[in-house]
Amino acid sequence: MPLTDEQVRTLERRAMTIRETIIRMLVAAESGHTAGPLGMADILTAFYFHILHHDAKHPDWEERDRLVLSNGHIAPVLYATLAHAGYFGVEECLTLRQFGSRLQGHPERLRLPGLETTSGPLGEGLAQAAGMALALRDFVNPSSDDGFTKSKHGRRVYCLMSDGEQQEGNTWEAVMFAGKNKLQNLTAVMDRNNIQIDGNTEDVMPLEPLADKYRAFNW
Ligand SMILES: Cc1ncc(C[n+]2csc(CCOP(=O)(O)OP(=O)(O)O)c2C)c(N)n1
Ligand SMILES: [Mg+2]
């Protein structure tokens, strides 16, 4: 269902607030990735405030959708979004990367409500998400609008990835696995920002034609 202009403006304002929180967090920590978290704030906002079936007060609700953050280094945007969505207090965000904090530089599943996986080593998330999608696909509601999305009780799996992760062999095993198993309840979202630590992705290890590669794996 298309969003109204007013709904879009509300989401945009929320994303701006989340970016402000991210900047406060990074300044307080005096370290951390900046570009990835700020760049993905709109996407995380859309997920937690519009797309996902989830319940901040019951993070382990069985029927929730799962969002797997594969590029764990953008954790500040996930933490800030979870906090603004009500999983924990926004003030805790300022403990980012402090010794003993629940908000470490990379997300740790058992430390904080709302996290679906532990991540940080690039290239792991899609395989985890594909496994979850395989386990959950029987719960998808066939009578929903298009047969699988927006099923009444969720249980779709979304995986956020970076473009640098497309250089990891593990990612392509997961792409192959998802194609073979026709995991229509799995959606991957890629931050195609063309950069990685050593420079432009196309200079370090060219990825294009990226969409064609996914299509060739039956995505
Ligand atoms: C397996 C692995 N190798 C190296 C790193 C170190 N590392 C952290 S972020 C990053 C940048 C990779 O670029 P990209 O994944 O595209 O993320 P962006 O900087 O665009 O957010 C690297 C190499 C890591 N976390 N995991
Ligand atoms: Mg990148």
Side-chain angles (χ1 to χ4, degrees):
M1 185 113 90
L3 291 166
T4 64
D5 290 348
E6 183 49 36
Q7 285 174 310
V8 171
R9 276 193 294 277
T10 302
L11 289 172
E12 284 174 347
R13 278 194 296 270
R14 218 178 257 291
M16 190 62 79
T17 307
I18 287 170
R19 278 190 285 270
E20 285 173 11
T21 301
I22 293 167
I23 291 170
R24 285 182 213 284
M25 294 164 72
L26 295 170
V27 169
E30 298 183 327
S31 69
H33 290 264
T34 49
L38 292 169
M40 290 297 277
D42 288 325
I43 304 290
L44 271 287
T45 301
F47 272 114
Y48 282 92
F49 292 92
H50 181 61
I51 295 169
L52 293 179
H53 295 86
H54 69 116
D55 181 350
K57 298 297 166 224
H58 302 95
D60 293 327
W61 177 43
E62 270 187 28
E63 294 171 13
R64 72 192 184 282
D65 290 325
R66 273 75 170 167
L67 186 135
V68 173
L69 182 71
S70 185
N71 46 338
H73 64 275
I74 71 164
V77 65
L78 180 59
Y79 296 152
T81 309
L82 288 174
H84 283 283
Y87 282 82
F88 50 90
V90 174
E91 65 288 347
E92 188 172 350
C93 287
L94 296 182
T95 69
L96 177 71
R97 292 187 132 190
Q98 282 177 19
F99 192 67
S101 166
R102 300 197 293 176
L103 280 58
Q104 288 304 309
H106 298 84
E108 194 182 324
R109 160 99 173 102
L110 296 179
R111 244 177 212 267
L112 198 64
L115 300 179
E116 298 291 355
T117 60
T118 294
S119 55
L122 297 168
E124 291 187 348
L126 192 61
Q128 296 166 335
M132 290 180 191
L134 184 70
L136 294 172
R137 71 174 171 185
D138 291 342
F139 293 102
V140 169
N141 178 2
S143 63
S144 64
D145 289 352
D146 59 8
F148 55 93
T149 55
K150 291 284 181 194
S151 63
K152 191 167 166 221
H153 298 299
R155 304 200 200 196
R156 286 189 60 76
V157 183
Y158 298 91
C159 182
L160 304 192
M161 300 184 284
S162 64
D163 49 5
E165 293 190 284
Q166 310 310 307
Q167 299 165 352
E168 300 276 358
N170 226 12
T171 297
W172 295 99
E173 292 181 37
V175 174
M176 197 178 341
F177 177 88
K180 183 228 166 188
N181 288 293
K182 301 187 171 53
L183 298 179
Q184 292 187 315
N185 56 335
L186 173 67
T187 303
V189 175
M190 191 192 304
D191 181 11
R192 181 63 169 125
N193 60 9
N194 296 295
I195 50 169
Q196 57 190 106
I197 283 183
D198 286 339
N200 192 297
T201 56
E202 299 315 288
D203 296 328
V204 177
M205 183 58 74
L207 297 172
E208 294 298 338
L210 200 42
D212 287 343
K213 288 175 185 168
Y214 272 80
R215 283 189 202 104
F217 281 84
N218 293 321
W219 278 57

